[in-house]
Amino acid sequence: MNFSSKLLEEAVHEFAKLPGIGQKTALRLVLHLLKKEQEEVNHFGQTLIRLKQEIKHCSICHNISDQTVCSICMAPKRDKTLICVVEDARDVMAIENTNQFFGVYHVLGGLISPMNGIGPADLFIDSLVKRVESGEVKEVIMALSATMEGDTTLFYLHKRLQPSAVPLSTIARGIAFGGELEYADEVTLGRSIITRVPYTHSMIK
Amino acid sequence: MNFSSKLLEEAVHEFAKLPGIGQKTALRLVLHLLKKEQEEVNHFGQTLIRLKQEIKHCSICHNISDQTVCSICMAPKRDKTLICVVEDARDVMAIENTNQFFGVYHVLGGLISPMNGIGPADLFIDSLVKRVESGEVKEVIMALSATMEGDTTLFYLHKRLQPSAVPLSTIARGIAFGGELEYADEVTLGRSIITRVPYTHSMIK
């Protein structure tokens, strides 16, 4: 692209580094910002700088937090004997949005992926083992992606947590609510038949 | 969404203000930035702030520029007797990318749109009339969108520039190169038949 201004080019280049944003979208965003007031743009820039500078990770569950212990780990109402293990902070938000889980979380910070050079030592696995071995935990729910990396991580965590004898569970896999059978993939559909559950009225809300 | 951090929420909120970016995309972008080094994020924030603070608009053609006169208006090679009128800086870039135009530009800064409360006084129309009336201009090319607003602006500019007796032209409308007839809309196809041009070899490169 032919830029009439170096400043413009640099701003477009910075936006285009973000995932899923190409040169044309970046240009549109930058021209949008140029139409805003100086104060608004300053606030945007400062927010990003402050975000990176001031944000913390919870010392217990490693979730993104403003304090050293996050609001979920601090809440007296949450069941500390029930830990849900997730890949990242986005999964915590997704599960929180369901309003169906009242335990606490453990954010691994990724999944084991030899292809991308991520081993168990790169993730918050040791701290999870320590939490589980502390004796207060009654169940660990694994809410990991149903991918090769997710399954590898699940298998590794199972091996590491076995000595503690704490029950391990995984979230249910199957046909999504509202999903039509004909559009479901064979693996999911096949598994959903094998792992079928007895019918009860309470399942359908 | 349930945010575990006020800082995170604010950053997501700022990104979600941008056109075409919703809450989920904004969250993905913010989490991407969080994984970057502090220095990189600072640079991103500072670039945006500097962009708005330091960017100028060319005093002749109103294009985005680092100096008071843009590089196109300054270039001795560009034909100052040929002015191409466009809506905004993005159009200048699009035409520059074709490498087919060697005149200069005039950026209106928008199109006349009574629906959005944009009248002729909100655009750089007076300065265009002055440039054309200076006597040095031999042709004005209108490269405006083929929309209601574009046509309204075209009609208004035609009326304003008529006294100067400088020839006015518009860019050609028709079926795009590589476009298939069956997918073209009726208006474009109909117009392209009415405004047909004599066949010459030089048209097909």
Side-chain angles (χ1 to χ4, degrees):
Chain A
M1 264 199 256
N2 280 304
F3 288 98
S4 57
S5 150
K6 278 268 162 226
L7 277 165
L8 183 70
E9 186 171 1
E10 209 177 328
V12 169
H13 182 69
E14 285 291 325
F15 264 110
K17 278 189 204 164
L18 297 173
I21 293 188
Q23 285 255 21
K24 283 205 176 180
T25 308
L27 178 61
R28 196 157 55 92
L29 299 180
V30 170
L31 291 180
H32 174 85
L33 282 179
L34 266 182
K35 282 188 194 157
K36 297 275 150 205
E37 293 297 314
Q38 176 74 50
E39 213 170 302
E40 265 185 84
V41 178
N42 281 0
H43 188 251
F44 186 22
Q46 291 296 349
T47 301
L48 295 184
I49 295 170
R50 271 189 57 209
L51 170 81
K52 181 69 191 169
Q53 257 166 3
E54 298 175 22
I55 218 156
K56 294 181 180 70
H57 287 86
C58 174
S59 59
I60 300 172
C61 73
H62 310 291
N63 189 19
I64 290 170
S65 167
D66 289 338
Q67 279 94 38
T68 46
V69 175
C70 77
S71 53
I72 296 172
C73 288
M74 289 258 267
K77 276 191 178 175
R78 309 290 296 226
D79 183 359
K80 267 85 177 176
T81 67
L82 185 59
I83 295 181
C84 180
V85 178
V86 293
E87 181 183 344
D88 61 24
R90 239 188 305 178
D91 300 329
V92 174
M93 263 183 254
I95 295 173
E96 282 298 287
N97 283 338
T98 68
N99 287 319
Q100 297 289 328
F101 180 69
F102 307 102
V104 290
Y105 295 92
H106 190 91
V107 178
L108 294 176
L111 295 173
I112 296 173
S113 171
M115 291 276 281
N116 299 313
I118 302 171
D122 301 315
L123 308 175
F124 296 115
I125 289 177
D126 287 340
S127 60
L128 173 64
V129 174
K130 250 184 223 162
R131 281 178 83 179
V132 174
E133 283 176 346
S134 72
E136 276 175 23
V137 180
K138 288 187 184 145
E139 185 182 348
V140 178
I141 304 172
M142 297 290 177
L144 303 177
S145 301
T147 58
M148 180 88 94
E149 286 82 12
D151 287 346
T152 308
T153 311
L154 192 56
F155 181 71
Y156 179 83
L157 288 175
H158 168 69
K159 265 196 353 192
R160 287 287 304 269
L161 294 175
Q162 220 167 10
S164 69
V166 170
L168 232 70
S169 58
T170 69
I171 54 169
R173 310 274 177 205
I175 307 297
F177 282 93
E180 292 193 40
L181 284 202
E182 53 179 333
Y183 298 125
D185 63 293
E186 296 83 1
V187 178
T188 305
L189 189 54
R191 285 297 186 103
S192 78
I193 292 169
I194 295 167
T195 61
R196 64 193 175 279
V197 290
Y199 176 77
T200 56
H201 272 294
S202 66
M203 290 179 69
I204 292 147
K205 286 196 180 178
Chain B
M1 265 198 255
N2 280 304
F3 289 97
S4 56
S5 150
K6 278 268 163 225
L7 278 167
L8 183 71
E9 186 172 359
E10 207 177 329
V12 168
H13 181 69
E14 285 291 325
F15 264 111
K17 278 188 204 167
L18 296 174
I21 293 187
Q23 285 255 20
K24 284 204 175 178
T25 308
L27 178 60
R28 197 158 53 93
L29 298 180
V30 170
L31 291 180
H32 173 86
L33 282 179
L34 266 181
K35 281 185 194 159
K36 297 277 150 202
E37 293 297 314
Q38 176 74 52
E39 212 170 303
E40 264 184 85
V41 178
N42 280 0
H43 187 251
F44 186 23
Q46 291 296 350
T47 302
L48 295 185
I49 295 170
R50 270 189 57 210
L51 170 81
K52 182 68 190 169
Q53 257 165 5
E54 297 175 22
I55 218 158
K56 294 182 180 72
H57 287 85
C58 174
S59 60
I60 299 172
C61 73
H62 310 291
N63 189 18
I64 290 170
S65 167
D66 290 338
Q67 281 92 36
T68 45
V69 175
C70 77
S71 52
I72 297 173
C73 288
M74 289 256 269
K77 275 192 178 174
R78 308 291 296 225
D79 183 358
K80 267 84 178 177
T81 66
L82 186 59
I83 295 180
C84 180
V85 178
V86 294
E87 181 182 343
D88 61 24
R90 241 189 303 177
D91 300 329
V92 174
M93 265 184 251
I95 295 174
E96 282 299 287
N97 283 337
T98 67
N99 286 319
Q100 298 289 329
F101 180 69
F102 306 102
V104 290
Y105 294 92
H106 191 91
V107 178
L108 293 177
L111 294 174
I112 296 173
S113 171
M115 291 274 283
N116 299 312
I118 302 172
D122 300 315
L123 308 175
F124 295 116
I125 288 178
D126 287 339
S127 60
L128 173 65
V129 174
K130 252 185 219 159
R131 280 178 84 181
V132 174
E133 283 176 347
S134 72
E136 276 174 25
V137 181
K138 286 186 186 147
E139 186 182 347
V140 178
I141 303 173
M142 297 290 177
L144 303 177
S145 301
T147 58
M148 181 87 94
E149 285 84 10
D151 287 346
T152 308
T153 311
L154 192 56
F155 182 71
Y156 180 82
L157 288 176
H158 168 69
K159 265 197 348 189
R160 287 286 304 268
L161 295 174
Q162 220 169 9
S164 68
V166 171
L168 233 71
S169 59
T170 70
I171 53 169
R173 308 277 177 204
I175 307 297
F177 282 92
E180 292 192 41
L181 283 203
E182 55 180 328
Y183 298 126
D185 63 290
E186 295 84 4
V187 178
T188 304
L189 189 54
R191 284 298 184 102
S192 77
I193 292 169
I194 294 168
T195 61
R196 64 193 176 277
V197 288
Y199 176 76
T200 55
H201 273 295
S202 65
M203 288 179 70
I204 292 145
K205 288 196 178 178

